[in-house]
CSV table of all heavy atoms in Angstrom, one decimal:
chain,number,residue,atom,x,y,z
A,161,GLU,N,52.6,-0.9,-24.4
A,161,GLU,CA,53.4,0.2,-25.0
A,161,GLU,C,54.8,0.1,-24.8
A,161,GLU,O,55.6,0.6,-25.5
A,161,GLU,CB,52.8,1.5,-24.4
A,161,GLU,CG,51.3,1.8,-24.6
A,161,GLU,CD,51.0,2.1,-26.1
A,161,GLU,OE1,52.0,2.2,-26.9
A,161,GLU,OE2,49.9,2.3,-26.4
A,162,GLN,N,55.2,-0.6,-23.7
A,162,GLN,CA,56.6,-0.6,-23.4
A,162,GLN,C,57.5,-1.7,-24.2
A,162,GLN,O,58.4,-1.4,-24.7
A,162,GLN,CB,56.9,-1.0,-21.8
A,162,GLN,CG,58.3,-1.1,-21.4
A,162,GLN,CD,58.4,-1.4,-19.9
A,162,GLN,OE1,57.4,-1.3,-19.2
A,162,GLN,NE2,59.5,-1.8,-19.5
A,163,CYS,N,56.9,-2.9,-24.3
A,163,CYS,CA,57.6,-4.0,-25.0
A,163,CYS,C,57.0,-4.4,-26.5
A,163,CYS,O,57.6,-5.2,-27.2
A,163,CYS,CB,57.5,-5.2,-24.1
A,163,CYS,SG,58.5,-5.0,-22.6
A,164,GLY,N,55.9,-3.8,-26.8
A,164,GLY,CA,55.3,-4.1,-28.1
A,164,GLY,C,54.4,-5.3,-28.0
A,164,GLY,O,54.4,-6.0,-27.0
A,165,GLY,N,53.5,-5.5,-28.9
A,165,GLY,CA,52.5,-6.5,-28.9
A,165,GLY,C,51.3,-6.3,-28.0
A,165,GLY,O,51.1,-5.1,-27.6
A,166,TYR,N,50.7,-7.3,-27.4
A,166,TYR,CA,49.6,-7.2,-26.6
A,166,TYR,C,49.8,-8.0,-25.4
A,166,TYR,O,50.3,-9.0,-25.4
A,166,TYR,CB,48.3,-7.6,-27.3
A,166,TYR,CG,48.2,-7.0,-28.8
A,166,TYR,CD1,48.2,-7.9,-29.8
A,166,TYR,CD2,48.0,-5.7,-28.9
A,166,TYR,CE1,48.1,-7.3,-31.1
A,166,TYR,CE2,47.8,-5.1,-30.2
A,166,TYR,CZ,47.8,-6.0,-31.3
A,166,TYR,OH,47.7,-5.5,-32.6
A,167,PHE,N,49.0,-7.5,-24.3
A,167,PHE,CA,48.8,-8.4,-23.2
A,167,PHE,C,47.6,-9.4,-23.4
A,167,PHE,O,46.6,-9.1,-23.7
A,167,PHE,CB,48.5,-7.5,-21.9
A,167,PHE,CG,49.6,-6.5,-21.5
A,167,PHE,CD1,49.3,-5.2,-21.7
A,167,PHE,CD2,50.7,-7.0,-20.9
A,167,PHE,CE1,50.4,-4.3,-21.3
A,167,PHE,CE2,51.7,-6.1,-20.7
A,167,PHE,CZ,51.6,-4.7,-20.8
A,168,ASP,N,48.0,-10.6,-23.1
A,168,ASP,CA,47.1,-11.7,-23.4
A,168,ASP,C,46.2,-12.0,-22.2
A,168,ASP,O,45.3,-13.0,-22.2
A,168,ASP,CB,47.8,-12.9,-23.9
A,168,ASP,CG,48.3,-12.8,-25.2
A,168,ASP,OD1,47.6,-12.0,-26.0
A,168,ASP,OD2,49.3,-13.4,-25.7
A,169,PHE,N,46.6,-11.5,-21.0
A,169,PHE,CA,45.9,-11.8,-19.8
A,169,PHE,C,45.3,-10.4,-19.2
A,169,PHE,O,46.1,-9.6,-18.8
A,169,PHE,CB,46.7,-12.5,-18.8
A,169,PHE,CG,47.4,-13.9,-19.2
A,169,PHE,CD1,48.5,-13.8,-19.9
A,169,PHE,CD2,46.7,-15.0,-18.9
A,169,PHE,CE1,49.1,-15.0,-20.5
A,169,PHE,CE2,47.4,-16.2,-19.3
A,169,PHE,CZ,48.6,-16.3,-20.2
A,170,LEU,N,44.0,-10.3,-19.2
A,170,LEU,CA,43.5,-9.1,-18.6
A,170,LEU,C,42.2,-9.4,-17.7
A,170,LEU,O,41.5,-10.3,-17.9
A,170,LEU,CB,42.9,-8.2,-19.8
A,170,LEU,CG,43.9,-7.8,-20.7
A,170,LEU,CD1,43.2,-7.1,-22.1
A,170,LEU,CD2,44.9,-6.8,-20.2
A,171,THR,N,42.2,-8.6,-16.6
A,171,THR,CA,41.1,-8.8,-15.7
A,171,THR,C,39.7,-8.3,-16.2
A,171,THR,O,39.8,-7.7,-17.3
A,171,THR,CB,41.4,-8.1,-14.3
A,171,THR,OG1,41.3,-6.7,-14.5
A,171,THR,CG2,42.8,-8.4,-13.7
A,172,SER,N,38.7,-8.5,-15.4
A,172,SER,CA,37.4,-8.0,-15.9
A,172,SER,C,37.4,-6.5,-16.1
A,172,SER,O,36.6,-6.0,-16.9
A,172,SER,CB,36.3,-8.4,-14.8
A,172,SER,OG,36.2,-9.8,-14.7
A,173,ASP,N,38.2,-5.7,-15.4
A,173,ASP,CA,38.3,-4.3,-15.6
A,173,ASP,C,39.4,-3.8,-16.3
A,173,ASP,O,39.7,-2.7,-16.5
A,173,ASP,CB,38.1,-3.5,-14.3
A,173,ASP,CG,39.4,-3.8,-13.5
A,173,ASP,OD1,40.2,-4.7,-13.7
A,173,ASP,OD2,39.5,-3.2,-12.2
A,174,GLY,N,40.1,-4.8,-17.0
A,174,GLY,CA,41.2,-4.4,-18.0
A,174,GLY,C,42.6,-4.2,-17.4
A,174,GLY,O,43.5,-3.9,-18.1
A,175,GLN,N,42.7,-4.6,-16.2
A,175,GLN,CA,44.0,-4.7,-15.6
A,175,GLN,C,44.9,-5.8,-16.0
A,175,GLN,O,44.3,-6.9,-16.3
A,175,GLN,CB,43.9,-4.7,-14.1
A,175,GLN,CG,43.2,-3.5,-13.4
A,175,GLN,CD,43.8,-2.3,-13.6
A,175,GLN,OE1,45.1,-2.0,-13.5
A,175,GLN,NE2,43.0,-1.3,-14.2
A,176,VAL,N,46.1,-5.5,-16.2
A,176,VAL,CA,47.1,-6.6,-16.8
A,176,VAL,C,47.4,-7.6,-15.8
A,176,VAL,O,47.8,-7.4,-14.6
A,176,VAL,CB,48.4,-5.9,-17.3
A,176,VAL,CG1,49.4,-7.0,-17.8
A,176,VAL,CG2,48.1,-5.0,-18.4
A,177,ILE,N,47.2,-8.9,-16.2
A,177,ILE,CA,47.8,-10.0,-15.4
A,177,ILE,C,49.0,-10.4,-16.0
A,177,ILE,O,49.1,-10.9,-17.2
A,177,ILE,CB,46.7,-11.2,-15.4
A,177,ILE,CG1,45.4,-10.7,-14.8
A,177,ILE,CG2,47.3,-12.4,-14.6
A,177,ILE,CD1,44.3,-11.7,-15.0
A,178,GLU,N,50.1,-10.3,-15.2
A,178,GLU,CA,51.5,-10.6,-15.8
A,178,GLU,C,51.6,-12.1,-16.4
A,178,GLU,O,51.1,-13.0,-15.8
A,178,GLU,CB,52.6,-10.4,-14.8
A,178,GLU,CG,52.6,-9.0,-14.3
A,178,GLU,CD,53.8,-8.8,-13.3
A,178,GLU,OE1,54.6,-9.7,-13.3
A,178,GLU,OE2,54.0,-7.7,-12.7
A,179,GLY,N,52.2,-12.2,-17.6
A,179,GLY,CA,52.3,-13.5,-18.2
A,179,GLY,C,52.9,-13.5,-19.5
A,179,GLY,O,53.4,-12.3,-19.9
A,180,ASP,N,53.1,-14.6,-20.1
A,180,ASP,CA,53.7,-14.5,-21.5
A,180,ASP,C,52.8,-14.1,-22.6
A,180,ASP,O,51.6,-13.7,-22.4
A,180,ASP,CB,54.2,-16.0,-21.8
A,180,ASP,CG,55.4,-16.4,-20.9
A,180,ASP,OD1,56.1,-15.5,-20.6
A,180,ASP,OD2,55.4,-17.6,-20.5
A,181,LYS,N,53.3,-14.0,-23.9
A,181,LYS,CA,52.5,-13.7,-25.1
A,181,LYS,C,52.3,-14.9,-25.9
A,181,LYS,O,53.3,-15.5,-26.3
A,181,LYS,CB,53.1,-12.5,-25.7
A,181,LYS,CG,53.2,-11.3,-24.9
A,181,LYS,CD,53.8,-10.1,-25.5
A,181,LYS,CE,53.8,-8.9,-24.6
A,181,LYS,NZ,54.5,-7.7,-25.2
A,182,ILE,N,51.1,-15.2,-26.1
A,182,ILE,CA,50.7,-16.4,-27.0
A,182,ILE,C,50.7,-16.0,-28.5
A,182,ILE,O,50.0,-15.0,-28.9
A,182,ILE,CB,49.4,-16.9,-26.6
A,182,ILE,CG1,49.2,-17.1,-25.1
A,182,ILE,CG2,49.2,-18.3,-27.3
A,182,ILE,CD1,50.3,-17.8,-24.5
A,183,VAL,N,51.5,-16.6,-29.4
A,183,VAL,CA,51.7,-16.0,-30.8
A,183,VAL,C,50.3,-16.1,-31.6
A,183,VAL,O,50.0,-15.1,-32.2
A,183,VAL,CB,52.7,-16.9,-31.4
A,183,VAL,CG1,52.7,-16.5,-32.9
A,183,VAL,CG2,54.1,-16.6,-30.9
A,184,THR,N,49.6,-17.1,-31.3
A,184,THR,CA,48.2,-17.2,-32.0
A,184,THR,C,47.4,-16.1,-31.6
A,184,THR,O,46.7,-15.3,-32.5
A,184,THR,CB,47.7,-18.5,-31.7
A,184,THR,OG1,48.4,-19.6,-32.1
A,184,THR,CG2,46.2,-18.7,-32.2
A,185,LEU,N,47.3,-15.7,-30.3
A,185,LEU,CA,46.4,-14.7,-29.8
A,185,LEU,C,46.9,-13.3,-30.3
A,185,LEU,O,46.1,-12.3,-30.6
A,185,LEU,CB,46.3,-14.7,-28.4
A,185,LEU,CG,45.5,-15.9,-27.7
A,185,LEU,CD1,45.4,-15.6,-26.2
A,185,LEU,CD2,44.3,-16.2,-28.4
A,186,GLN,N,48.2,-13.1,-30.4
A,186,GLN,CA,48.8,-11.9,-30.8
A,186,GLN,C,48.5,-11.6,-32.3
A,186,GLN,O,48.0,-10.5,-32.7
A,186,GLN,CB,50.3,-11.9,-30.7
A,186,GLN,CG,50.8,-12.1,-29.3
A,186,GLN,CD,50.9,-10.7,-28.5
A,186,GLN,OE1,51.3,-9.6,-29.0
A,186,GLN,NE2,50.5,-10.8,-27.3
A,187,ALA,N,48.6,-12.7,-33.1
A,187,ALA,CA,48.3,-12.6,-34.5
A,187,ALA,C,46.9,-12.4,-34.7
A,187,ALA,O,46.4,-11.8,-35.6
A,187,ALA,CB,48.8,-13.9,-35.2
A,188,GLN,N,46.0,-13.1,-34.0
A,188,GLN,CA,44.5,-13.0,-34.3
A,188,GLN,C,44.1,-11.7,-33.8
A,188,GLN,O,43.1,-11.1,-34.5
A,188,GLN,CB,43.9,-14.1,-33.4
A,188,GLN,CG,44.1,-15.4,-34.0
A,188,GLN,CD,43.3,-16.6,-33.3
A,188,GLN,OE1,42.8,-16.4,-32.1
A,188,GLN,NE2,43.2,-17.8,-33.9
A,189,GLN,N,44.6,-11.0,-32.9
A,189,GLN,CA,44.2,-9.6,-32.6
A,189,GLN,C,44.7,-8.7,-33.6
A,189,GLN,O,43.9,-7.7,-34.0
A,189,GLN,CB,44.9,-9.2,-31.2
A,189,GLN,CG,44.3,-7.8,-30.8
A,189,GLN,CD,44.5,-7.5,-29.3
A,189,GLN,OE1,44.3,-6.4,-28.9
A,189,GLN,NE2,44.9,-8.4,-28.5
A,190,VAL,N,45.8,-8.9,-34.3
A,190,VAL,CA,46.3,-8.0,-35.4
A,190,VAL,C,45.3,-8.3,-36.5
A,190,VAL,O,44.8,-7.3,-37.2
A,190,VAL,CB,47.7,-8.5,-35.8
A,190,VAL,CG1,48.0,-7.8,-37.3
A,190,VAL,CG2,48.7,-8.2,-34.8
C-alpha cells in the first residue's frame, strides 16, 4: 500500500519478508 505493486516474499502466515520486486511476478499477479 505504501510503494505500490506487490510484495514478492511472504511467510507462511502472510508476513512480509523484505526484498526486491520481481517484474515477472508483479505482472503475473496482475
Side-chain angles (χ1 to χ4, degrees):
E161 299 289 0
Q162 181 178 348
C163 296
Y166 312 114
F167 295 110
D168 289 332
F169 302 83
L170 297 169
T171 66
S172 296
D173 61 357
Q175 298 300 308
V176 175
I177 303 171
E178 293 183 13
D180 291 328
K181 292 175 177 175
I182 314 303
V183 171
T184 295
L185 296 186
Q186 299 283 310
Q188 288 181 345
Q189 189 165 169
V190 172

